[in-house]
Amino acid sequence: MELDASYSLFGMMVGALIFAPLADKIGRKKVLAISICIFSVFTLLSSFAPNPAFFSFMRFIAALGMGGLMPNVISLMAEYSPKKYKVLIVTTMYCGYSIGSILASLIGMYVMEQISWRVLYWIVALPLLALPFFMKQFPESLSYYVIRKQGEKLAGILNRIDPEGDDKDSDDYEFAKVQERAKGFPVKKLFEDKRTLSTFAFWVAAFNCLLMEYGLNTWLPKIMQQSGYGLTSSLSFNLILGIGQIGGSIIGGYLVGKMGHSRVLVFSVPLVRYAL
């Protein structure tokens, strides 16, 4: 289990490195659709694994899709959210990860022992059913159309956002200005305008947060089992963890709108240290 989890996390990292830049080339909507297909199909195939090696390989490929999915969906959500509620909306959306963890724990506690662990992997095929609706209704990134000077597409999306608006493809969307800003290697921009120190600080903070989050989600049930708890009791710790993550995401997102990012981050660190 631990080795499989490591393969999955490594696959997510590789997927993020591959699909995040690809989204700038072919669009975030297409990358999201590809990521959903990869994650769902190969997770489903994992349920038919005849041996651990096949299972680990399928989980690695599936994790590539998850790695491409998360950064792009967060980026699109932030782009289309009202500025005042942007953080709250993004953190609320991110609660879907915790809700999935809770549902997986409940299924593991009350279903898996009676049926099979494979049922958890069959459920993940469900997003494929929503893919046609996603392709028809989900909007592409506005910046993708701006860089390509597709005024008609921009006007269509803006008029959907504001039905009373009257945006036209001939309007001034500042194509030249946006294209000039988009030039150059994206990662290099993180270190421009005296942002080097803050960039490294965010990287370190993100690394430690994800190490804690994925470490707890992955190894907490196993640690509890080794401490003498049964399977159901061990999974209940993950359930409580997921509930806490939902509460923290929503409260934190709300407070950011009131107090700002810096203060919320500073107050959050002692809480995490105390909890651990």
Side-chain angles (χ1 to χ4, degrees):
M1 176 181 175
E2 292 87 346
L3 187 60
D4 166 59
S6 299
Y7 284 138
S8 296
L9 294 178
F10 181 68
M12 289 178 63
M13 181 187 71
V14 175
L17 293 173
I18 292 173
F19 288 112
L22 183 63
D24 294 330
K25 302 293 184 182
I26 67 173
R28 301 196 185 282
K29 182 177 179 178
K30 291 179 181 178
V31 165
L32 286 174
I34 294 170
S35 298
I36 291 171
C37 287
I38 292 175
F39 179 72
S40 297
V41 170
F42 284 92
T43 300
L44 179 62
L45 291 176
S46 300
S47 68
F48 302 104
N51 54 63
F54 181 88
F55 180 79
S56 297
F57 180 71
M58 291 295 103
R59 294 298 298 137
F60 172 78
I61 302 298
L64 294 176
M66 179 58 74
L69 183 67
M70 297 182 71
N72 283 294
V73 75
I74 290 173
S75 176
L76 268 177
M77 184 65 72
E79 184 175 349
Y80 279 101
S81 298
K83 186 176 182 179
K84 184 178 180 180
Y85 302 106
K86 180 179 296 184
V87 177
L88 179 59
I89 291 174
V90 172
T91 53
T92 302
M93 179 272 298
Y94 201 76
C95 288
Y97 176 88
S98 301
I99 293 173
S101 176
I102 292 171
L103 292 176
S105 298
L106 289 172
I107 293 171
M109 291 165 61
Y110 299 109
V111 176
M112 193 166 64
E113 289 186 340
Q114 286 74 26
I115 304 178
S116 170
W117 60 268
R118 300 178 190 271
V119 70
L120 290 171
Y121 295 88
W122 298 341
I123 295 172
V124 184
L126 292 177
L128 292 174
L129 301 178
L131 201 56
F133 175 81
F134 170 84
M135 294 301 297
K136 182 178 180 180
Q137 298 294 335
F138 206 79
E140 180 55 86
S141 169
L142 289 171
S143 59
Y144 176 80
Y145 290 133
V146 171
I147 292 174
R148 286 156 182 79
K149 298 183 179 181
Q150 298 184 11
E152 183 180 353
K153 296 284 189 180
L154 288 168
I157 293 175
L158 293 174
N159 287 325
R160 283 178 61 188
I161 295 173
D162 181 12
E164 296 182 0
D166 189 27
D167 294 280
K168 303 179 180 64
D169 56 356
S170 58
D171 290 345
D172 181 15
Y173 295 106
E174 298 185 340
F175 293 127
K177 187 176 181 179
V178 174
Q179 285 183 324
E180 183 63 29
R181 287 205 307 263
K183 290 181 179 178
F185 188 53
V187 177
K188 183 181 177 181
K189 299 178 188 295
L190 298 174
F191 300 94
E192 296 175 349
D193 300 326
K194 299 181 180 180
R195 288 195 291 260
T196 300
L197 182 60
S198 60
T199 294
F200 278 115
F202 277 116
W203 283 0
V204 171
F207 173 82
N208 285 285
C209 286
L210 292 175
L211 179 66
M212 178 194 68
E213 180 179 356
Y214 288 118
L216 287 174
N217 284 331
T218 302
W219 290 291
L220 185 59
K222 188 66 174 180
I223 292 173
M224 293 299 102
Q225 281 186 293
Q226 291 177 344
S227 300
Y229 291 88
L231 176 62
T232 299
S233 298
S234 299
L235 289 172
S236 68
F237 286 95
N238 254 17
L239 188 150
I240 299 300
L241 181 65
I243 294 174
Q245 288 172 340
I246 292 173
S249 295
I250 295 175
I251 294 172
Y254 173 78
L255 291 177
V256 165
K258 300 293 184 180
M259 304 167 53
H261 292 81
S262 300
R263 291 180 181 178
V264 173
L265 288 172
V266 168
F267 286 127
S268 298
V269 172
L271 291 175
V272 174
R273 289 181 57 86
Y274 177 78
L276 295 176

